[in-house]
Amino acid sequence: MVWLLTVACLVALADRWALLYAERQAADRLKDRLHLTAAPEVRIGGFPFLTQLAARRLDSVEVTVPDVPAERVTLTQVTATASDIRVDGDGPTAVRGALVRRVHGQVLLSFADMNRELGASQVSFSAHGPGRIRAVGALRVAGNDVRVRADARVRREGERGITTSVDGMRLDIGDLATYRPGTGRAEGLHLTRSAARRISREADKVRAMLGVPEIVHRMGVPQRTVNAALHDEDRLHRLTGAPRFLHRLTRVNLVDVALAHPEVLKRLGLDPSLLTSLSKLTRPQIADRFRFSFKIPNPPSGELRLDRVAVDKDGIHVYVGGTGLLVGE
Protein backbone atom coordinates (compact mmCIF):
# COMPACT_ATOMS: atom_id res chain seq x y z
CA MET A 1 0.00 0.00 0.00
CA VAL A 2 2.88 2.36 0.90
CA TRP A 3 4.56 1.55 -2.41
CA LEU A 4 1.39 2.28 -4.34
CA LEU A 5 1.02 5.59 -2.54
CA THR A 6 4.65 6.46 -3.23
CA VAL A 7 4.30 5.64 -6.93
CA ALA A 8 1.10 7.70 -7.14
CA CYS A 9 2.87 10.67 -5.55
CA LEU A 10 5.80 10.36 -7.95
CA VAL A 11 3.46 10.20 -10.93
CA ALA A 12 1.57 13.24 -9.69
CA LEU A 13 4.83 15.13 -9.14
CA ALA A 14 6.03 14.21 -12.63
CA ASP A 15 2.73 15.39 -14.06
CA ARG A 16 2.95 18.73 -12.22
CA TRP A 17 6.60 19.17 -13.23
CA ALA A 18 5.71 18.55 -16.88
CA LEU A 19 2.81 20.98 -16.54
CA LEU A 20 4.99 23.74 -15.04
CA TYR A 21 7.64 23.16 -17.68
CA ALA A 22 5.09 23.38 -20.47
CA GLU A 23 3.61 26.57 -19.01
CA ARG A 24 7.06 28.14 -18.77
CA GLN A 25 7.91 27.17 -22.35
CA ALA A 26 4.61 28.57 -23.61
CA ALA A 27 5.13 31.84 -21.72
CA ASP A 28 8.66 32.30 -23.13
CA ARG A 29 7.48 31.56 -26.66
CA LEU A 30 4.62 34.05 -26.39
CA LYS A 31 7.00 36.68 -25.02
CA ASP A 32 9.31 36.27 -28.03
CA ARG A 33 6.57 36.16 -30.66
CA LEU A 34 4.63 39.13 -29.26
CA HIS A 35 7.79 41.14 -28.42
CA LEU A 36 6.71 41.60 -24.80
CA THR A 37 8.89 43.15 -22.11
CA ALA A 38 7.93 40.40 -19.64
CA ALA A 39 6.73 36.83 -20.02
CA PRO A 40 2.94 36.43 -19.70
CA GLU A 41 1.26 34.19 -17.15
CA VAL A 42 0.15 30.84 -18.63
CA ARG A 43 -2.13 28.36 -16.84
CA ILE A 44 -2.96 24.98 -18.42
CA GLY A 45 -6.20 23.47 -17.12
CA GLY A 46 -7.28 19.86 -16.71
CA PHE A 47 -5.74 16.88 -14.91
CA PRO A 48 -3.68 14.90 -15.51
CA PHE A 49 -1.61 16.96 -17.91
CA LEU A 50 0.51 14.13 -19.32
CA THR A 51 -2.59 12.18 -20.30
CA GLN A 52 -3.90 15.21 -22.19
CA LEU A 53 -0.56 15.69 -23.88
CA ALA A 54 -0.40 12.03 -24.87
CA ALA A 55 -3.81 12.43 -26.49
CA ARG A 56 -2.56 15.67 -28.09
CA ARG A 57 -5.51 17.56 -26.69
CA LEU A 58 -5.71 20.16 -23.90
CA ASP A 59 -8.92 21.09 -22.13
CA SER A 60 -8.08 24.77 -21.62
CA VAL A 61 -5.24 27.26 -21.43
CA GLU A 62 -5.50 30.69 -19.79
CA VAL A 63 -3.04 33.44 -20.73
CA THR A 64 -2.71 36.81 -18.95
CA VAL A 65 -0.54 39.51 -20.48
CA PRO A 66 0.02 42.83 -18.62
CA ASP A 67 0.92 46.21 -20.11
CA VAL A 68 0.50 45.70 -23.86
CA PRO A 69 1.33 48.83 -25.95
CA ALA A 70 -1.49 49.99 -28.26
CA GLU A 71 -0.66 53.25 -30.06
CA ARG A 72 -1.34 56.16 -27.63
CA VAL A 73 -2.35 53.97 -24.69
CA THR A 74 -1.21 50.84 -22.89
CA LEU A 75 -3.65 47.98 -22.44
CA THR A 76 -3.51 47.32 -18.73
CA GLN A 77 -4.24 43.62 -19.04
CA VAL A 78 -5.14 41.15 -21.76
CA THR A 79 -6.66 37.86 -20.61
CA ALA A 80 -7.59 35.01 -22.95
CA THR A 81 -8.94 31.52 -22.27
CA ALA A 82 -8.58 28.93 -25.02
CA SER A 83 -10.48 25.64 -25.04
CA ASP A 84 -10.60 22.46 -27.12
CA ILE A 85 -6.95 22.70 -28.15
CA ARG A 86 -5.31 20.24 -30.55
CA VAL A 87 -1.56 19.97 -29.85
CA ASP A 88 1.09 19.36 -32.51
CA GLY A 89 4.05 17.75 -30.73
CA ASP A 90 5.40 14.63 -29.05
CA GLY A 91 5.92 15.83 -25.47
CA PRO A 92 6.37 18.82 -23.15
CA THR A 93 9.73 19.64 -24.72
CA ALA A 94 8.63 19.10 -28.34
CA VAL A 95 5.40 21.05 -28.80
CA ARG A 96 5.54 22.70 -32.22
CA GLY A 97 2.15 24.39 -32.27
CA ALA A 98 -1.55 24.05 -31.61
CA LEU A 99 -4.97 24.59 -33.13
CA VAL A 100 -7.28 26.53 -30.81
CA ARG A 101 -10.88 25.68 -31.59
CA ARG A 102 -12.39 28.36 -29.37
CA VAL A 103 -11.10 31.35 -27.45
CA HIS A 104 -12.66 34.17 -25.49
CA GLY A 105 -10.95 36.97 -23.66
CA GLN A 106 -11.04 40.42 -22.19
CA VAL A 107 -8.92 43.53 -22.68
CA LEU A 108 -8.80 46.09 -19.86
CA LEU A 109 -7.78 49.70 -20.40
CA SER A 110 -7.77 51.12 -16.90
CA PHE A 111 -8.54 54.73 -16.04
CA ALA A 112 -5.36 54.79 -13.96
CA ASP A 113 -3.25 54.12 -17.07
CA MET A 114 -5.28 56.60 -19.13
CA ASN A 115 -4.71 59.26 -16.48
CA ARG A 116 -0.97 58.68 -16.68
CA GLU A 117 -0.62 58.43 -20.46
CA LEU A 118 -3.30 60.75 -21.84
CA GLY A 119 -3.83 63.07 -18.90
CA ALA A 120 -0.16 63.75 -18.13
CA SER A 121 -1.11 64.04 -14.44
CA GLN A 122 -3.42 66.98 -15.21
CA VAL A 123 -6.54 65.21 -16.44
CA SER A 124 -8.41 62.33 -14.84
CA PHE A 125 -10.79 59.92 -16.58
CA SER A 126 -13.83 58.21 -15.07
CA ALA A 127 -16.97 56.33 -16.08
CA HIS A 128 -19.88 58.54 -17.06
CA GLY A 129 -22.78 56.27 -17.90
CA PRO A 130 -23.11 53.32 -20.31
CA GLY A 131 -20.42 53.47 -22.98
CA ARG A 132 -19.24 56.93 -21.93
CA ILE A 133 -16.27 58.37 -20.09
CA ARG A 134 -15.55 61.83 -18.69
CA ALA A 135 -12.27 63.72 -18.62
CA VAL A 136 -11.80 66.44 -16.03
CA GLY A 137 -8.64 68.40 -15.41
CA ALA A 138 -6.66 71.52 -16.22
CA LEU A 139 -5.03 73.13 -19.24
CA ARG A 140 -2.45 75.91 -19.26
CA VAL A 141 -3.75 78.68 -21.53
CA ALA A 142 -2.03 82.07 -21.88
CA GLY A 143 -0.37 81.61 -18.49
CA ASN A 144 -3.65 80.71 -16.80
CA ASP A 145 -4.87 77.38 -15.42
CA VAL A 146 -8.22 76.67 -17.06
CA ARG A 147 -10.44 73.83 -15.91
CA VAL A 148 -11.44 71.52 -18.75
CA ARG A 149 -14.18 68.92 -19.04
CA ALA A 150 -14.95 66.66 -21.98
CA ASP A 151 -17.28 63.71 -22.49
CA ALA A 152 -16.36 60.85 -24.80
CA ARG A 153 -18.38 57.99 -26.21
CA VAL A 154 -16.57 54.67 -26.59
CA ARG A 155 -17.77 52.68 -29.59
CA ARG A 156 -16.82 49.80 -31.83
CA GLU A 157 -15.01 50.48 -35.07
CA GLY A 158 -15.44 47.60 -37.48
CA GLU A 159 -14.99 44.02 -36.33
CA ARG A 160 -11.80 44.45 -34.31
CA GLY A 161 -11.40 48.04 -33.19
CA ILE A 162 -12.67 50.59 -30.70
CA THR A 163 -12.49 54.37 -30.90
CA THR A 164 -13.75 57.42 -29.04
CA SER A 165 -15.74 60.43 -30.18
CA VAL A 166 -15.35 63.48 -27.94
CA ASP A 167 -18.15 65.96 -27.31
CA GLY A 168 -19.50 68.09 -24.47
CA MET A 169 -16.24 70.03 -24.21
CA ARG A 170 -16.09 73.03 -21.90
CA LEU A 171 -13.36 75.13 -20.31
CA ASP A 172 -14.15 76.94 -17.07
CA ILE A 173 -12.38 80.18 -16.23
CA GLY A 174 -12.80 80.05 -12.49
CA ASP A 175 -16.45 80.69 -11.67
CA LEU A 176 -16.52 83.69 -14.00
CA ALA A 177 -17.12 82.26 -17.46
CA THR A 178 -17.33 79.05 -19.49
CA TYR A 179 -15.85 78.60 -22.96
CA ARG A 180 -17.18 75.98 -25.38
CA PRO A 181 -15.29 75.73 -28.68
CA GLY A 182 -17.44 76.02 -31.78
CA THR A 183 -19.79 78.38 -33.56
CA GLY A 184 -23.16 77.13 -32.35
CA ARG A 185 -25.56 79.27 -30.35
CA ALA A 186 -24.66 77.61 -27.05
CA GLU A 187 -20.93 77.71 -27.83
CA GLY A 188 -18.40 80.48 -27.34
CA LEU A 189 -17.66 82.37 -24.12
CA HIS A 190 -20.53 82.87 -21.67
CA LEU A 191 -20.75 84.20 -18.14
CA THR A 192 -21.71 81.71 -15.49
CA ARG A 193 -24.97 82.34 -13.69
CA SER A 194 -23.18 83.20 -10.43
CA ALA A 195 -20.92 85.69 -12.26
CA ALA A 196 -23.92 87.25 -14.03
CA ARG A 197 -25.65 87.63 -10.66
CA ARG A 198 -22.62 89.38 -9.16
CA ILE A 199 -22.26 91.69 -12.17
CA SER A 200 -25.95 92.60 -12.10
CA ARG A 201 -25.40 93.98 -8.59
CA GLU A 202 -22.54 96.26 -9.69
CA ALA A 203 -23.91 99.28 -11.52
CA ASP A 204 -20.65 100.26 -13.24
CA LYS A 205 -20.16 96.80 -14.76
CA VAL A 206 -23.78 96.60 -15.92
CA ARG A 207 -23.53 100.05 -17.53
CA ALA A 208 -20.29 99.01 -19.29
CA MET A 209 -22.08 96.02 -20.83
CA LEU A 210 -25.26 97.90 -21.71
CA GLY A 211 -23.14 100.53 -23.43
CA VAL A 212 -22.17 98.00 -26.12
CA PRO A 213 -24.88 97.76 -28.85
CA GLU A 214 -23.92 94.15 -29.75
CA ILE A 215 -24.56 93.01 -26.18
CA VAL A 216 -27.88 94.85 -25.94
CA HIS A 217 -28.99 93.39 -29.26
CA ARG A 218 -28.13 89.84 -28.22
CA MET A 219 -29.86 90.24 -24.88
CA GLY A 220 -33.04 91.36 -26.62
CA VAL A 221 -33.61 94.31 -24.29
CA PRO A 222 -35.45 97.24 -25.95
CA GLN A 223 -33.12 100.15 -26.58
CA ARG A 224 -35.45 102.65 -24.88
CA THR A 225 -35.36 100.51 -21.72
CA VAL A 226 -31.57 100.46 -21.84
CA ASN A 227 -31.36 104.22 -22.39
CA ALA A 228 -33.64 104.85 -19.43
CA ALA A 229 -31.65 102.47 -17.21
CA LEU A 230 -28.36 104.11 -18.11
CA HIS A 231 -29.65 107.48 -16.87
CA ASP A 232 -31.73 106.40 -13.87
CA GLU A 233 -30.40 104.32 -10.97
CA ASP A 234 -33.87 103.02 -9.97
CA ARG A 235 -34.68 101.90 -13.50
CA LEU A 236 -31.28 100.23 -13.74
CA HIS A 237 -32.02 98.21 -10.57
CA ARG A 238 -35.48 97.27 -11.88
CA LEU A 239 -33.95 96.07 -15.16
CA THR A 240 -31.21 94.00 -13.54
CA GLY A 241 -33.70 92.60 -11.02
CA ALA A 242 -36.06 91.34 -13.72
CA PRO A 243 -36.40 87.51 -13.69
CA ARG A 244 -35.08 87.05 -17.24
CA PHE A 245 -32.19 89.50 -17.03
CA LEU A 246 -29.72 86.94 -15.64
CA HIS A 247 -30.77 84.38 -18.23
CA ARG A 248 -30.28 86.91 -21.04
CA LEU A 249 -26.92 87.94 -19.65
CA THR A 250 -25.58 84.36 -19.58
CA ARG A 251 -26.72 83.84 -23.19
CA VAL A 252 -24.47 86.58 -24.57
CA ASN A 253 -21.45 85.21 -26.43
CA LEU A 254 -18.60 87.47 -25.33
CA VAL A 255 -16.40 86.28 -28.20
CA ASP A 256 -18.59 88.37 -30.54
CA VAL A 257 -17.74 91.61 -28.74
CA ALA A 258 -14.21 90.89 -27.54
CA LEU A 259 -12.22 92.29 -30.46
CA ALA A 260 -14.22 95.49 -30.81
CA HIS A 261 -14.69 96.16 -27.10
CA PRO A 262 -11.80 94.62 -25.09
CA GLU A 263 -12.31 97.21 -22.35
CA VAL A 264 -15.64 95.57 -21.49
CA LEU A 265 -13.90 92.24 -20.85
CA LYS A 266 -11.41 93.94 -18.56
CA ARG A 267 -14.24 95.57 -16.62
CA LEU A 268 -15.79 92.13 -16.15
CA GLY A 269 -12.49 90.64 -14.92
CA LEU A 270 -11.60 88.74 -18.10
CA ASP A 271 -8.13 88.94 -19.63
CA PRO A 272 -8.51 89.67 -23.39
CA SER A 273 -5.31 87.73 -24.17
CA LEU A 274 -6.79 84.66 -22.49
CA LEU A 275 -9.86 84.91 -24.70
CA THR A 276 -7.66 85.24 -27.79
CA SER A 277 -5.81 82.05 -26.84
CA LEU A 278 -9.06 80.23 -26.08
CA SER A 279 -10.47 81.20 -29.45
CA LYS A 280 -7.49 79.55 -31.15
CA LEU A 281 -8.25 76.25 -29.40
CA THR A 282 -10.45 74.52 -31.94
CA ARG A 283 -12.71 71.61 -31.12
CA PRO A 284 -10.41 69.06 -32.87
CA GLN A 285 -7.37 70.40 -30.99
CA ILE A 286 -9.01 69.89 -27.61
CA ALA A 287 -10.61 66.59 -28.58
CA ASP A 288 -7.26 65.22 -29.74
CA ARG A 289 -5.95 65.43 -26.17
CA PHE A 290 -8.51 62.81 -25.08
CA ARG A 291 -9.09 60.76 -28.24
CA PHE A 292 -7.63 57.28 -28.66
CA SER A 293 -8.30 54.04 -30.51
CA PHE A 294 -6.86 50.56 -30.91
CA LYS A 295 -7.52 47.32 -32.76
CA ILE A 296 -7.15 43.70 -31.78
CA PRO A 297 -4.75 41.97 -34.20
CA ASN A 298 -5.89 40.16 -37.30
CA PRO A 299 -4.69 36.53 -36.88
CA PRO A 300 -2.94 34.78 -39.80
CA SER A 301 -5.57 32.02 -39.58
CA GLY A 302 -8.98 31.59 -38.03
CA GLU A 303 -11.20 34.40 -36.74
CA LEU A 304 -10.70 36.88 -33.92
CA ARG A 305 -13.52 39.36 -33.36
CA LEU A 306 -14.59 42.03 -30.92
CA ASP A 307 -17.86 41.03 -29.21
CA ARG A 308 -18.70 44.08 -27.11
CA VAL A 309 -17.32 47.09 -25.25
CA ALA A 310 -18.31 48.16 -21.74
CA VAL A 311 -17.30 51.01 -19.44
CA ASP A 312 -16.97 50.15 -15.76
CA LYS A 313 -15.69 52.04 -12.74
CA ASP A 314 -12.13 50.77 -13.23
CA GLY A 315 -11.87 51.40 -16.95
CA ILE A 316 -12.86 50.21 -20.43
CA HIS A 317 -13.45 46.49 -20.92
CA VAL A 318 -13.30 44.99 -24.41
CA TYR A 319 -14.60 41.44 -24.81
CA VAL A 320 -13.28 39.34 -27.69
CA GLY A 321 -13.90 35.88 -29.11
CA GLY A 322 -12.35 33.68 -31.77
CA THR A 323 -12.30 30.28 -33.45
CA GLY A 324 -9.85 28.17 -35.41
CA LEU A 325 -6.64 29.95 -34.40
CA LEU A 326 -3.28 28.38 -35.24
CA VAL A 327 -0.52 28.99 -32.67
CA GLY A 328 3.16 28.22 -33.12
CA GLU A 329 4.92 26.87 -36.16
Side-chain angles (χ1 to χ4, degrees):
M1 185 66 180
V2 174
W3 284 106
L4 289 175
L5 183 59
T6 302
V7 171
C9 290
L10 290 175
V11 170
L13 286 173
D15 185 84
R16 294 299 91 186
W17 176 87
L19 173 65
L20 293 174
Y21 181 84
E23 290 175 342
R24 179 62 181 271
Q25 289 290 100
D28 290 341
R29 183 168 296 186
L30 284 173
K31 176 186 175 183
D32 293 338
R33 288 187 175 273
L34 298 179
H35 307 290
L36 302 174
T37 56
E41 181 181 336
V42 177
R43 290 287 179 265
I44 299 175
F47 181 83
F49 168 67
L50 289 175
T51 302
Q52 294 183 76
L53 194 60
R56 298 187 178 182
R57 179 185 180 279
L58 299 179
D59 292 337
S60 66
V61 175
E62 182 177 305
V63 179
T64 301
V65 186
D67 302 328
V68 179
E71 297 184 14
R72 295 186 64 191
V73 294
T74 296
L75 307 180
T76 307
Q77 182 174 283
V78 178
T79 302
T81 300
S83 57
D84 192 6
I85 305 160
R86 299 294 187 265
V87 178
D88 178 17
D90 301 321
T93 62
V95 174
R96 292 179 291 272
L99 171 63
V100 179
R101 303 282 185 169
R102 293 184 303 276
V103 64
H104 66 272
Q106 181 180 163
V107 177
L108 170 63
L109 174 55
S110 73
F111 289 134
D113 284 339
M114 290 174 61
N115 293 343
R116 184 182 68 253
E117 296 174 339
L118 295 179
S121 302
Q122 293 181 319
V123 177
S124 61
F125 294 84
S126 61
H128 186 58
R132 300 188 69 87
I133 59 177
R134 169 164 289 178
V136 178
L139 292 178
R140 193 72 176 171
V141 181
N144 297 272
D145 287 325
V146 178
R147 296 289 297 172
V148 61
R149 188 186 77 179
D151 296 331
R153 182 168 63 92
V154 184
R155 56 183 175 82
R156 291 180 55 168
E157 185 177 48
E159 290 295 318
R160 293 186 302 277
I162 74 163
T163 188
T164 55
S165 56
V166 182
D167 53 26
M169 290 177 286
R170 56 179 284 182
L171 292 89
D172 295 324
I173 307 169
D175 66 345
L176 181 60
T178 296
Y179 178 74
R180 293 181 174 87
T183 58
R185 185 171 181 178
E187 294 164 338
L189 182 68
H190 296 265
L191 293 170
T192 65
R193 191 168 182 84
S194 61
R197 184 178 294 108
R198 290 196 304 270
I199 290 171
S200 68
R201 296 170 182 166
E202 300 181 41
D204 60 332
K205 290 185 177 181
V206 171
R207 287 194 177 98
M209 295 192 69
L210 295 180
V212 179
E214 291 91 339
I215 294 179
V216 173
H217 173 72
R218 292 179 180 278
M219 289 182 67
V221 180
Q223 189 62 49
R224 63 180 181 276
T225 303
V226 173
N227 292 337
L230 290 175
H231 295 88
D232 189 302
E233 196 78 20
D234 291 336
R235 291 188 179 186
L236 180 64
H237 288 319
R238 284 199 297 272
L239 174 61
T240 58
R244 290 189 55 79
F245 184 81
L246 287 181
H247 175 72
R248 289 171 173 172
L249 194 55
T250 58
R251 300 278 289 182
V252 175
N253 184 358
L254 297 177
V255 172
D256 298 332
V257 298
L259 294 179
H261 305 278
E263 72 282 353
V264 175
L265 296 184
K266 293 180 180 179
R267 294 285 293 275
L268 298 178
L270 283 166
D271 181 359
S273 65
L274 173 60
L275 179 56
T276 301
S277 299
L278 286 173
S279 301
K280 294 178 181 179
L281 283 175
T282 64
R283 179 181 292 271
Q285 286 175 329
I286 299 176
D288 188 59
R289 297 171 183 259
F290 313 118
R291 185 182 293 117
F292 63 90
S293 62
F294 69 86
K295 289 186 177 181
I296 57 177
N298 188 17
S301 64
E303 177 190 21
L304 190 60
R305 65 189 180 278
L306 189 155
D307 289 334
R308 66 185 179 93
V309 180
V311 177
D312 208 342
K313 61 182 181 180
D314 59 339
I316 300 170
H317 295 259
V318 180
Y319 299 89
V320 300
T323 55
L325 303 178
L326 283 174
V327 180
E329 300 176 1

